[in-house]
């Protein structure tokens, strides 16, 4: 029998006794026929539970969940202590119309100089076309939304013939795009666009409702059991701003993977290196933005699913505070770790999309009591000076626990640049119980996923899932009610540790991922793969954002020796989106000259 372990109350933990433990995941890497055999074994009645029990023991999950006395009471969804308002921000009323909020966000951005963006060859390095570039082109009659739509439609239709195939969209209707673009073009001709987002092309992840497209969650069957009658709340907010929605983009099936591998619709390719993964689960949203095809996309993030692919594809991804955006109209709308967040090529564009979609659901307003959202004021020089007061928390041993030192070196250089250029101070911190945090997260997201999919799995749909999803489901089925409660007790402890850290620092800084984009094994394309070591590296730094509901953003900061993008993650206090957006904007500016054009890139606004 395992020996009982008793944890000291979180408030009494002596941080000087905390030792950093390297994460070692014990699980087989399988593709092809071995993967299929393993699935048969874990789904077998007696053998399956024995295998799962063995794997959980090997990875110290049983010891943590069943043999440990956790003195804290359970916290079944994030609960945040009251937060002070951040300095130099613009407060927004979330009851205002989305287009009014976008207008307010626009006023917070730095001055836009069209000459610097449209002079062509004089640009020192690669830059993406921004939302304000499109807006300027439309208002100056250089191009119309309908002209852009034709270019995008022809590229999407060509994607089907690429070698290797680059399957970005799961659901796409050229006539619907033409209709939206024609309406936008007419508004510009009449001189009354709805907002700066009017005529901007965006893609929606396949687990968020976007009428009339089905929401399949990249399965082969979800649309048969779940009909879409209207847009998700966040999608309808974008539509009211005039956004043109190109369709539903590819993803890791049901969001249950970190690579973006999908045997059902094909695996999305990384625009920087087509033989590599995009990261997941928001694989299509990150790839479609990184390739220049769309200005922005919406993804979901329950375990790094916005930040991981954004980092691996060299774009910006924002995970908001839990409850800051409404989840109504998404497949995963009943969990306690997931949010809908924007992916865009720049921080500025993320701010504009965030302004459109923010707004808590009525239930979250009652239980979470969110303070009013704020935007960073990037329009005045005085506010650049407020960056100097920011204290950045860095847990060095964790920060350096990466697959290649290229990642930690590039991220470390950015912290030095922030100190030199803005006076930001980096403070050494210790984050205890990282293993406990990962365990609590997998039990939370796993149990909640299992609960929502149970009726369909009981109805025979479970066998239609991909092999790696079925392995995850077998693990999730093995969790008990007491495991779930233990995980929620751990959530309260870990929230305590982080709130103590945020008394000393304003932002926690980490690399976004512990490795850059992994290669796609050719044996994994047909039936998928399971590789928990890769998952561990990709998820190493992202769990606090999900288990604790904290806001976090990834910004591209450079490349490894193979030319693959590296992201820096900034984790903020609860409801502190404006601080991480402000800091992210400064980071982006410091790294702008090093940005490289992806190998697969579409210059949509090049109208020569």
């Amino acid at each position: 029998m395992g020996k009982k372990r008793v944890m000291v109350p979180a408030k009494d933990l002596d941080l000087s006794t905390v030792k950093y433990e390297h994460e070692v995941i014990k699980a087989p890497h399988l593709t092809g026929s071995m993967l299929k055999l393993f699935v048969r074994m874990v789904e077998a009645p007696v053998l399956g539970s024995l295998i799962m029990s063995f794997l959980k023991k090997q990875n110290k999950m049983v010891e943590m969940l069943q043999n440990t006395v956790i003195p804290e009471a359970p916290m079944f969804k994030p609960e945040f202590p009251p937060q002070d308002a951040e300095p130099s921000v613009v407060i927004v009323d979330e009851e205002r119309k989305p287009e009014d909020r976008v207008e307010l966000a626009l006023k917070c951005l730095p001055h836009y100089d069209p000459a610097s963006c449209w002079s062509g060859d004089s640009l020192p390095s690669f830059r993406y076309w921004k939302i304000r570039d499109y807006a300027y082109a439309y208002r100056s009659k250089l191009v119309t939304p309908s002209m852009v739509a034709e270019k995008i439609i022809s590229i999407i239709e060509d994607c089907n013939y690429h070698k290797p195939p680059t399957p970005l969209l799961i659901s796409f209707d050229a006539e619907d795009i033409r209709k939206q673009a024609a309406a936008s073009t007419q508004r510009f001709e009449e001189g009354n666009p709805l907002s700066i987002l009017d005529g901007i092309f965006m893609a929606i992840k396949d687990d968020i409702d976007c009428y009339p497209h089905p929401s399949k969650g990249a399965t082969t069957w979800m649309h048969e059991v779940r009909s879409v009658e209207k847009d998700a709340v966040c999608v309808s907010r974008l539509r009211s701003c005039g956004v043109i929605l190109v369709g539903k983009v590819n993803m890791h099936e049901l969001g249950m993977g970190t690579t973006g591998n999908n045997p059902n619709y094909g695996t999305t390719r990384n625009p920087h290196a087509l033989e590599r993964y995009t990261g997941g689960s928001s694989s299509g949203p990150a790839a479609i933005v990184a390739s220049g095809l769309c200005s922005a996309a919406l993804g979901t993030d329950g375990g790094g699913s916005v930040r991981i692919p954004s980092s691996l594809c060299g774009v910006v991804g924002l995970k908001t505070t839990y409850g800051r955006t409404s989840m109504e109209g998404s497949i995963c709308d009943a969990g306690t770790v997931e949010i809908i967040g924007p992916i865009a090529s720049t921080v500025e564009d993320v701010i504009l999309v965030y302004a459109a979609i923010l707004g808590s659901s009525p239930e979250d307003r009652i239980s979470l009591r969110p303070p009013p959202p704020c935007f960073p004021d990037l329009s005045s020089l005085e506010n650049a000076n407020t960056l100097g007061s920011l204290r950045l928390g860095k847990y060095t041993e964790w920060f350096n626990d990466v697959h290649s030192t290229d990642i930690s070196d590039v991220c470390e250089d950015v912290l030095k640049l922030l100190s030199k250029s803005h006076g930001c101070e980096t403070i050494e911190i210790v984050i205890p119980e990282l293993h406990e945090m990962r365990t609590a997260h997998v039990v939370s997201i796993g149990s909640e996923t299992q609960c929502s999919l149970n009726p369909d799995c009981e109805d025979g749909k479970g066998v239609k899932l991909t092999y790696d999803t079925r392995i995850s489901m077998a693990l999730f089925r093995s969790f008990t009610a007491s495991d779930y409660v233990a995980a929620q007790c751990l959530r309260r402890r870990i929230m305590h540790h982080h709130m103590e850290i945020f008394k000393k620092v304003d932002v926690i800084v980490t690399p976004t991922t512990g490795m850059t984009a992994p290669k796609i094994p050719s044996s994994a394309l047909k039936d998928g793969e399971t590789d928990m070591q890769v998952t561990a590296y990709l998820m190493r730094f992202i769990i606090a954002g999900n288990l604790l509901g904290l806001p976090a953003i990834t910004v591209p900061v450079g490349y490894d020796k193979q030319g693959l993008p590296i992201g820096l993650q900034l984790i903020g206090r609860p409801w502190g989106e404006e601080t991480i957006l402000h800091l992210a904007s400064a980071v982006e500016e410091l790294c702008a000259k090093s940005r490289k054009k992806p190998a697969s890139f579409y210059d949509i606004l090049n109208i020569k």
Side-chain angles (χ1 to χ4, degrees), residues 62-90:
V62 174
E63 174 196 1
M64 185 67 259
L65 297 165
Q66 289 167 21
N67 301 342
T68 301
V69 178
I70 307 164
E72 282 72 25
M75 177 190 283
F76 289 105
K77 66 197 291 194
E79 294 170 17
F80 308 120
Q83 301 295 311
D84 296 333
E86 305 287 331
S88 310
V89 295
V90 176

Short mmCIF file of all heavy atoms in Angstrom, two decimals, residues 62-90:
data_model
loop_
_atom_site.label_atom_id
_atom_site.label_comp_id
_atom_site.label_asym_id
_atom_site.label_seq_id
_atom_site.Cartn_x
_atom_site.Cartn_y
_atom_site.Cartn_z
N VAL A 62 -1.40 8.71 -8.91
CA VAL A 62 -2.15 8.00 -7.86
C VAL A 62 -1.71 8.52 -6.49
O VAL A 62 -2.54 8.85 -5.63
CB VAL A 62 -1.95 6.47 -7.98
CG1 VAL A 62 -2.59 5.75 -6.80
CG2 VAL A 62 -2.54 5.96 -9.29
N GLU A 63 -0.39 8.63 -6.34
CA GLU A 63 0.17 9.13 -5.06
C GLU A 63 -0.42 10.51 -4.75
O GLU A 63 -0.83 10.80 -3.63
CB GLU A 63 1.69 9.21 -5.22
CG GLU A 63 2.40 9.85 -4.04
CD GLU A 63 3.84 10.27 -4.39
OE1 GLU A 63 4.28 10.08 -5.55
OE2 GLU A 63 4.50 10.79 -3.50
N MET A 64 -0.50 11.36 -5.79
CA MET A 64 -0.95 12.75 -5.60
C MET A 64 -2.43 12.84 -5.28
O MET A 64 -2.87 13.59 -4.42
CB MET A 64 -0.64 13.50 -6.90
CG MET A 64 -0.89 14.98 -6.89
SD MET A 64 0.26 15.76 -5.79
CE MET A 64 -0.77 16.00 -4.36
N LEU A 65 -3.25 12.03 -5.99
CA LEU A 65 -4.70 12.18 -5.91
C LEU A 65 -5.34 11.30 -4.84
O LEU A 65 -6.40 11.64 -4.32
CB LEU A 65 -5.33 11.86 -7.27
CG LEU A 65 -4.93 12.79 -8.42
CD1 LEU A 65 -5.32 12.18 -9.75
CD2 LEU A 65 -5.58 14.17 -8.26
N GLN A 66 -4.70 10.15 -4.52
CA GLN A 66 -5.38 9.20 -3.63
C GLN A 66 -4.66 8.96 -2.32
O GLN A 66 -5.28 8.55 -1.34
CB GLN A 66 -5.57 7.88 -4.39
CG GLN A 66 -6.63 8.03 -5.48
CD GLN A 66 -6.66 6.88 -6.46
OE1 GLN A 66 -6.18 5.79 -6.14
NE2 GLN A 66 -7.19 7.11 -7.63
N ASN A 67 -3.33 9.18 -2.31
CA ASN A 67 -2.59 8.88 -1.07
C ASN A 67 -2.14 10.14 -0.35
O ASN A 67 -1.25 10.10 0.48
CB ASN A 67 -1.34 8.03 -1.40
CG ASN A 67 -1.72 6.73 -2.07
OD1 ASN A 67 -2.87 6.32 -2.00
ND2 ASN A 67 -0.78 6.08 -2.73
N THR A 68 -2.72 11.29 -0.71
CA THR A 68 -2.27 12.55 -0.13
C THR A 68 -3.43 13.27 0.56
O THR A 68 -4.53 13.34 0.01
CB THR A 68 -1.68 13.46 -1.24
OG1 THR A 68 -0.59 12.78 -1.85
CG2 THR A 68 -1.19 14.78 -0.70
N VAL A 69 -3.16 13.79 1.74
CA VAL A 69 -4.15 14.61 2.45
C VAL A 69 -3.89 16.07 2.06
O VAL A 69 -2.81 16.60 2.31
CB VAL A 69 -4.02 14.44 3.97
CG1 VAL A 69 -5.02 15.34 4.69
CG2 VAL A 69 -4.22 12.98 4.37
N ILE A 70 -4.87 16.68 1.39
CA ILE A 70 -4.73 18.08 0.94
C ILE A 70 -5.60 18.94 1.86
O ILE A 70 -6.83 18.77 1.88
CB ILE A 70 -5.19 18.22 -0.53
CG1 ILE A 70 -4.46 17.19 -1.41
CG2 ILE A 70 -4.94 19.64 -1.04
CD1 ILE A 70 -5.09 16.98 -2.79
N PRO A 71 -4.99 19.83 2.64
CA PRO A 71 -5.78 20.52 3.68
C PRO A 71 -6.75 21.57 3.15
O PRO A 71 -7.67 21.98 3.86
CB PRO A 71 -4.71 21.19 4.57
CG PRO A 71 -3.47 21.23 3.75
CD PRO A 71 -3.55 20.14 2.74
N GLU A 72 -6.57 22.02 1.90
CA GLU A 72 -7.44 23.09 1.38
C GLU A 72 -8.80 22.55 0.94
O GLU A 72 -8.92 21.39 0.55
CB GLU A 72 -6.77 23.78 0.17
CG GLU A 72 -5.69 24.77 0.54
CD GLU A 72 -4.42 24.12 1.06
OE1 GLU A 72 -4.14 22.95 0.72
OE2 GLU A 72 -3.69 24.78 1.81
N ALA A 73 -9.80 23.44 0.98
CA ALA A 73 -11.14 23.11 0.47
C ALA A 73 -11.11 23.17 -1.06
O ALA A 73 -10.29 23.88 -1.63
CB ALA A 73 -12.16 24.11 1.01
N PRO A 74 -11.99 22.43 -1.73
CA PRO A 74 -11.97 22.48 -3.20
C PRO A 74 -12.39 23.84 -3.76
O PRO A 74 -13.18 24.55 -3.15
CB PRO A 74 -12.98 21.39 -3.60
CG PRO A 74 -13.80 21.14 -2.40
CD PRO A 74 -12.97 21.47 -1.20
N MET A 75 -11.81 24.21 -4.90
CA MET A 75 -12.19 25.42 -5.64
C MET A 75 -12.64 24.94 -7.03
O MET A 75 -11.80 24.54 -7.85
CB MET A 75 -10.99 26.36 -5.78
CG MET A 75 -11.27 27.60 -6.59
SD MET A 75 -9.75 28.55 -6.98
CE MET A 75 -9.42 29.35 -5.43
N PHE A 76 -13.95 24.91 -7.27
CA PHE A 76 -14.46 24.24 -8.46
C PHE A 76 -14.37 25.06 -9.74
O PHE A 76 -14.59 24.56 -10.82
CB PHE A 76 -15.89 23.74 -8.22
CG PHE A 76 -15.92 22.58 -7.26
CD1 PHE A 76 -16.35 22.76 -5.95
CD2 PHE A 76 -15.48 21.33 -7.65
CE1 PHE A 76 -16.36 21.68 -5.06
CE2 PHE A 76 -15.49 20.26 -6.77
CZ PHE A 76 -15.93 20.44 -5.47
N LYS A 77 -14.10 26.35 -9.61
CA LYS A 77 -13.75 27.17 -10.78
C LYS A 77 -12.90 28.31 -10.23
O LYS A 77 -12.92 28.57 -9.03
CB LYS A 77 -14.99 27.66 -11.53
CG LYS A 77 -15.87 28.63 -10.78
CD LYS A 77 -17.26 28.74 -11.38
CE LYS A 77 -17.29 29.41 -12.71
NZ LYS A 77 -18.67 29.82 -13.11
N PRO A 78 -12.13 29.00 -11.07
CA PRO A 78 -11.27 30.04 -10.53
C PRO A 78 -12.02 31.06 -9.68
O PRO A 78 -13.11 31.50 -10.06
CB PRO A 78 -10.68 30.69 -11.79
CG PRO A 78 -10.70 29.60 -12.81
CD PRO A 78 -11.96 28.83 -12.53
N GLU A 79 -11.45 31.36 -8.53
CA GLU A 79 -11.99 32.43 -7.66
C GLU A 79 -10.84 33.39 -7.42
O GLU A 79 -9.77 32.97 -6.96
CB GLU A 79 -12.43 31.87 -6.30
CG GLU A 79 -13.61 30.93 -6.35
CD GLU A 79 -13.84 30.22 -5.01
OE1 GLU A 79 -13.30 30.68 -3.98
OE2 GLU A 79 -14.54 29.20 -5.01
N PHE A 80 -11.04 34.65 -7.76
CA PHE A 80 -9.95 35.60 -7.66
C PHE A 80 -10.18 36.59 -6.52
O PHE A 80 -11.27 37.11 -6.37
CB PHE A 80 -9.80 36.40 -8.96
CG PHE A 80 -9.72 35.54 -10.19
CD1 PHE A 80 -10.67 35.65 -11.19
CD2 PHE A 80 -8.69 34.63 -10.35
CE1 PHE A 80 -10.60 34.87 -12.33
CE2 PHE A 80 -8.61 33.85 -11.50
CZ PHE A 80 -9.56 33.97 -12.48
N PRO A 81 -9.12 36.90 -5.75
CA PRO A 81 -9.25 38.00 -4.80
C PRO A 81 -9.42 39.31 -5.56
O PRO A 81 -9.03 39.39 -6.73
CB PRO A 81 -7.91 37.97 -4.03
CG PRO A 81 -6.97 37.20 -4.89
CD PRO A 81 -7.78 36.28 -5.74
N PRO A 82 -10.00 40.36 -4.93
CA PRO A 82 -10.17 41.64 -5.64
C PRO A 82 -8.81 42.17 -6.11
O PRO A 82 -7.80 41.99 -5.44
CB PRO A 82 -10.77 42.56 -4.57
CG PRO A 82 -11.29 41.65 -3.51
CD PRO A 82 -10.48 40.40 -3.56
N GLN A 83 -8.80 42.79 -7.30
CA GLN A 83 -7.56 43.30 -7.88
C GLN A 83 -7.60 44.82 -7.97
O GLN A 83 -8.64 45.40 -8.28
CB GLN A 83 -7.36 42.72 -9.29
CG GLN A 83 -7.31 41.20 -9.34
CD GLN A 83 -6.11 40.63 -8.62
OE1 GLN A 83 -4.99 41.05 -8.83
NE2 GLN A 83 -6.35 39.67 -7.73
N ASP A 84 -6.45 45.46 -7.72
CA ASP A 84 -6.35 46.91 -7.91
C ASP A 84 -6.32 47.23 -9.40
O ASP A 84 -5.80 46.45 -10.19
CB ASP A 84 -5.06 47.46 -7.27
CG ASP A 84 -5.07 47.27 -5.76
OD1 ASP A 84 -6.18 47.22 -5.19
OD2 ASP A 84 -3.99 47.15 -5.15
N ALA A 85 -6.84 48.42 -9.75
CA ALA A 85 -6.80 48.84 -11.16
C ALA A 85 -5.35 49.10 -11.56
O ALA A 85 -4.53 49.54 -10.75
CB ALA A 85 -7.62 50.10 -11.33
N GLU A 86 -5.03 48.79 -12.80
CA GLU A 86 -3.67 49.02 -13.32
C GLU A 86 -3.53 50.51 -13.68
O GLU A 86 -4.51 51.17 -14.02
CB GLU A 86 -3.45 48.16 -14.58
CG GLU A 86 -3.69 46.68 -14.37
CD GLU A 86 -2.61 45.98 -13.55
OE1 GLU A 86 -1.46 46.43 -13.59
OE2 GLU A 86 -2.93 44.99 -12.87
N PRO A 87 -2.31 51.05 -13.65
CA PRO A 87 -2.13 52.47 -14.00
C PRO A 87 -2.19 52.68 -15.52
O PRO A 87 -1.95 51.76 -16.29
CB PRO A 87 -0.71 52.77 -13.48
CG PRO A 87 0.00 51.44 -13.48
CD PRO A 87 -1.05 50.40 -13.23
N SER A 88 -2.50 53.93 -15.93
CA SER A 88 -2.46 54.37 -17.34
C SER A 88 -3.24 53.45 -18.27
O SER A 88 -2.68 52.93 -19.23
CB SER A 88 -1.01 54.46 -17.82
OG SER A 88 -0.23 55.20 -16.94
N VAL A 89 -4.50 53.25 -17.95
CA VAL A 89 -5.32 52.40 -18.83
C VAL A 89 -6.58 53.14 -19.22
O VAL A 89 -6.94 54.15 -18.61
CB VAL A 89 -5.71 51.07 -18.13
CG1 VAL A 89 -4.49 50.22 -17.86
CG2 VAL A 89 -6.51 51.31 -16.87
N VAL A 90 -7.25 52.63 -20.23
CA VAL A 90 -8.53 53.16 -20.64
C VAL A 90 -9.59 52.13 -20.28
O VAL A 90 -9.55 50.99 -20.75
CB VAL A 90 -8.53 53.44 -22.16
CG1 VAL A 90 -9.91 53.91 -22.61
CG2 VAL A 90 -7.47 54.47 -22.51
#
